[in-house]
Each structure stands twice: as C-alpha cells, then as structure tokens.
C-alpha cells in the first residue's frame, strides 16, 4: 500500500493558525461510512447525530509546556528541546534542534536564577535518530513548577502564530499531565455542550493516552506497511472500562473522540481479545490503516489531518480510503479549516 495514496492538495491558507473564540463554533463535516453521504453542518449539530446510550470516549491527557529554549554554555549557541516522554525520574526522551550541535555529554542551560546560573540544567546521555536525544535534568525545587515557568506549549510546526492563551491548547476535561501535543478533536467541546449531550442520554467515558513522538515525525517510508509507530503510554480505569462494556453489551455505539482515543480503545480491545475489557495500562504502538477491523470503535469524531499521515490512514481504515479522499477534497473546496485548531469531522 503506497503512502502516496493518502496524499492530497492542501492550500496553505486553510491551515488554521489560531483557535476560534468559541470552541463550539467550528464547522462539522459528517460522513456516513456505510453510504458515503456527506453533510456540511456546524459542530453543535453533533447532538443530532447522538442517541441515548451512545458513549463518547474522551482522552483526558493534559499537555505539558514541553518546549524549552536554552543555550549551550560552552558556545552560547541557542538550542530547543521538545520533551516527549518521561523515562524515569529526571530522564526524558526529547527532540533537539539543531540536533547536530547536541552530542552525548553536551550540557544545556535553561533560564537564569539572577546570578548567572541556570534554573534548569540538562546533560545529553544518548543520541537517537531524527533529532532524538535522551536528557537528564538537574535542578533545585519542583520540576513541574520550573517547566510551567520556562516552557511553552508545543504547538505543531505548521502553526506560526503565537498562542495567546495556553488553555486553548487543552481540552476542557484535560486532567492527567504528560502529553507533548493535544488530542485536538476534543478542543471543540465546552463543558456546557458536553452537559447538553449528557442531558440527551449520551454517556461519557475517559481514557488517557499521552501523545508523544509519533505526532511530530513524518512518515519516511514509501510503503504504509513498513512504517513503525512510536510507543505512547495509556491508562483505562475500572469505572470507565465498565461504562464501555455496558454500552457494547447493550448494542450502543462507542464513539471515539479523536484518533488517540481510537488507538487506545483498539489497543485495549486487542489486549482482551475482543471480549469484555478491564482496567489496564501500558504502552501502545498500534498502527491502524486500511484493512484493519475495528473491535470497539463504531464512530469517530476527529479533525482534518495532514496529507500522507498515519492519522489520514486511520480514518481511511474506518470509512474507506475512497470515501475519505472524496470528503477531504470536498472539505478543501468548501474551505474548511485544517489541523489542530481547525474544523471537525464526524464519521458514523
């Protein structure tokens, strides 16, 4: 399966640079995966597609201010680190830029304590591929407080505008810190709209998947099957597993909010071999592309994704590649807003 099969032309002006003032003001493209029918709606029309008993599965990860800008004290060279995964204690998997200047043994400084000393030091312990570096931090105080003070929200590289309000890159239900990127499909919800759905009889379930390295790395292969996903940490507790089990046994729909929720649900389903699921946690590197048979996910709320990305492949697995390419072509013609701060798509 060629990666190029998932390519499409996207005018740059359709890449949303800033979030809308009202989270729920986005447009919604609804795609019936059985018939291929497309409808152009607004996000709050999602309520019309929901039925009592449906379960919306939301990823409650919280983005950390994971982008750090500092210097190499020996040369004064400016460097940037993106924190991707906490390994253990103060060791982190990161992306470094410019990576060629950052070798094993390099020391990096961040911030200033007022007397010429850094608030945060880092030593490079290992080099990975494509700019990956394993870093050990050294500091006094509480790391999270220093990160809040020194770090910036790790917006994707296609967003050039500065984010004025950090919370707009968090979902309103974000809870467990650990992501290097937001689960962006959830950015459309307000607490009020979620309550409106609950009042209609929709149930909410929460999973956690900390979005990591794979989000920032393009595919570097020609054949889809040759791509390897990086692993990301997930958790599902007993209460939410039970909500999902009850819905599945009653014939209600499991509606994933975002590709991260989809990947977590399908990972858990595989872990329990399609039977009742239980509370669990672990690491997933599941790669979903056409030919995949979904075990738990019946419908998906998502954003519009990058050409030739693993996320376009995932939605193509659910709705069919031809239907997705047609829908994306129509979204371009209708000038939908794309990517993290863009409009939404509901595949049902």
């Amino acid at each position: 399966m060629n990666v190029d099969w998932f390519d499409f032309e996207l005018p740059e002006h359709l890449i949303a640079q800033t979030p809308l003032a009202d989270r729920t003001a986005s447009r919604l493209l609804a795609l019936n995966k059985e018939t291929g029918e497309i409808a152009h709606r607004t996000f709050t029309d999602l309520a019309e597609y929901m039925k009592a008993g449906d379960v919306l599965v939301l990823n409650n990860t919280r983005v950390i201010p994971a982008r750090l800008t500092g210097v190499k004290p020996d040369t004064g060279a400016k460097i940037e680190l993106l924190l991707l995964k906490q390994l253990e204690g103060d060791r982190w998997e990161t992306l470094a830029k410019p990576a060629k200047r950052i070798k094993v043994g390099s020391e990096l400084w961040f911030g200033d304590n007022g007397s010429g000393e850094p608030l945060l030091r880092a030593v490079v312990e290992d080099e990975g591929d494509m700019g990956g570096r394993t870093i050990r931090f050294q500091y006094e105080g509480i790391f999270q407080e220093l990160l809040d003070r020194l770090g910036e929200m790790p917006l994707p590289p296609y967003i050039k505008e500065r984010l004025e309000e950090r919370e707009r890159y968090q979902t309103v239900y974000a809870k467990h810190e650990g992501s290097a990127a937001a689960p962006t499909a959830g950015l459309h919800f307000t607490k009020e709209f979620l309550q409106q759905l609950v009042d209609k009889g929709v149930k909410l379930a929460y999973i956690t998947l900390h979005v990591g390295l794979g989000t920032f790395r393009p595919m570097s292969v020609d054949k889809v099957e040759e791509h390897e996903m990086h692993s990301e940490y997930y958790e599902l507790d007993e209460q939410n597993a039970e909500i999902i089990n009850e819905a599945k046994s009653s014939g209600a729909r499991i509606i994933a909010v975002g590709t991260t929720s989809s990947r977590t649900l399908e990972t858990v389903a595989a872990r329990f071999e399609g039977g009742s699921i239980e509370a669990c946690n672990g690491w997933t590197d599941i790669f979903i592309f056409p030919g995949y048979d979904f075990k738990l996910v019946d419908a998906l709320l998502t954003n519009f994704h990058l050409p030739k990305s693993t996320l376009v492949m995932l939605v193509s697995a659910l709705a069919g590649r031809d239907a997705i390419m047609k829908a994306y072509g129509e979204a371009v013609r209708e000038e939908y807003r794309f990517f993290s701060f863009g409009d939404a798509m509901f595949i049902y």
Side-chain angles (χ1 to χ4, degrees):
M1 194 179 300
N2 292 329
V3 171
D4 287 343
W5 295 354
F6 301 89
D7 196 10
F8 58 91
E9 290 292 327
L10 179 66
E12 191 171 343
H13 74 275
L14 297 184
I15 301 173
Q17 293 296 316
T18 55
L20 298 176
D22 175 4
R23 287 178 184 262
T24 62
S26 295
R27 297 164 73 187
L28 178 73
L29 186 151
L31 172 63
N32 185 315
K33 68 181 191 296
E34 305 301 331
T35 66
E37 180 184 357
I38 293 171
H40 300 290
R41 310 293 295 268
T42 58
F43 183 74
T44 51
D45 293 337
L46 181 67
E48 297 178 23
Y49 291 89
M50 299 286 107
K51 306 169 189 171
D54 283 346
V55 174
L56 271 186
V57 182
L58 305 150
N59 182 3
N60 62 8
T61 187
R62 187 169 179 83
V63 186
I64 60 174
R67 194 181 300 280
L68 288 167
T69 302
V71 298
K72 290 184 68 182
D74 54 344
T75 65
K78 184 178 177 181
I79 54 90
E80 182 180 284
L81 282 187
L82 180 63
L83 309 188
L84 294 171
K85 183 195 298 181
Q86 187 173 12
L87 300 174
E88 71 277 328
D90 294 318
R91 294 180 73 245
W92 284 76
E93 181 181 324
T94 73
L95 279 182
K97 193 169 85 173
K100 62 184 179 182
R101 296 187 180 180
I102 306 171
K103 306 296 185 182
V104 172
S106 294
E107 187 169 332
L108 312 173
W109 287 11
F110 304 93
D112 191 315
N113 66 2
S115 60
E117 292 294 311
L119 289 167
L120 189 62
R121 298 173 189 260
V123 176
V124 180
E125 293 192 337
D126 194 17
E127 293 186 31
D129 60 347
M130 298 177 69
R133 296 291 185 271
T134 301
I135 299 287
R136 183 183 296 277
F137 287 106
Q138 301 165 355
Y139 54 91
E140 292 183 5
I142 299 172
F143 182 75
Q144 192 59 53
E145 291 181 358
L146 290 171
L147 198 58
D148 286 340
R149 181 174 171 181
L150 299 172
E152 294 184 8
M153 296 304 275
L155 296 181
Y158 49 76
I159 293 179
K160 312 299 183 187
E161 297 286 331
R162 183 178 177 83
L163 181 65
E164 296 299 328
E165 185 185 349
R166 276 189 180 185
E167 284 302 305
R168 287 312 308 272
Y169 196 56
Q170 305 279 15
T171 63
V172 296
Y173 46 81
K175 185 176 181 181
H176 301 294
E177 292 190 328
S179 269
T184 53
L187 296 179
H188 301 283
F189 288 101
T190 60
K191 291 180 179 178
E192 293 76 15
F193 185 55
L194 284 170
Q195 187 59 52
Q196 181 183 331
L197 297 178
V198 169
D199 291 344
K200 186 172 180 174
V202 175
K203 297 179 180 179
L204 306 181
Y206 295 93
I207 55 90
T208 304
L209 181 127
H210 292 319
V211 189
L213 193 60
T215 298
F216 294 91
R217 286 192 166 163
M219 296 185 74
S220 57
V221 296
D222 296 323
K223 298 295 183 183
V224 172
E225 295 85 352
E226 295 173 359
H227 179 69
E228 292 185 12
M229 297 285 283
H230 284 80
S231 61
E232 297 165 312
Y233 181 75
Y234 72 90
E235 289 184 0
L236 172 68
D237 66 24
E238 186 176 346
Q239 178 184 357
N240 288 290
E242 190 55 37
I243 293 170
I244 294 166
N245 282 331
E246 288 177 0
K248 208 64 184 174
S249 62
S250 68
R253 292 185 301 175
I254 306 297
I255 302 170
V257 176
T259 55
T260 61
S261 294
S262 297
R263 294 178 64 245
T264 306
L265 287 167
E266 293 303 308
T267 296
V268 172
R271 182 167 176 165
F272 294 101
E273 299 180 342
S276 292
I277 62 174
E278 299 173 12
C280 58
N281 61 68
W283 296 86
T284 179
D285 60 359
I286 189 172
F287 179 22
I288 296 174
F289 55 89
Y292 178 83
D293 180 24
F294 284 84
K295 315 296 190 301
L296 271 179
V297 174
D298 298 304
L300 171 64
L301 178 74
T302 186
N303 279 20
F304 292 94
H305 305 294
L306 279 74
K308 299 198 290 188
S309 66
T310 61
L311 306 182
V312 168
M313 294 167 193
L314 186 151
V315 296
S316 296
L318 185 62
R321 174 190 165 274
D322 291 346
I324 289 295
M325 291 296 106
K326 178 184 175 184
Y328 268 57
E330 196 156 321
V332 169
R333 286 193 297 276
E334 295 291 327
E335 299 209 320
Y336 276 69
R337 301 167 77 246
F338 274 66
F339 306 161
S340 297
F341 290 137
D343 293 316
M345 181 180 195
F346 183 52
I347 303 171
Y348 65 101

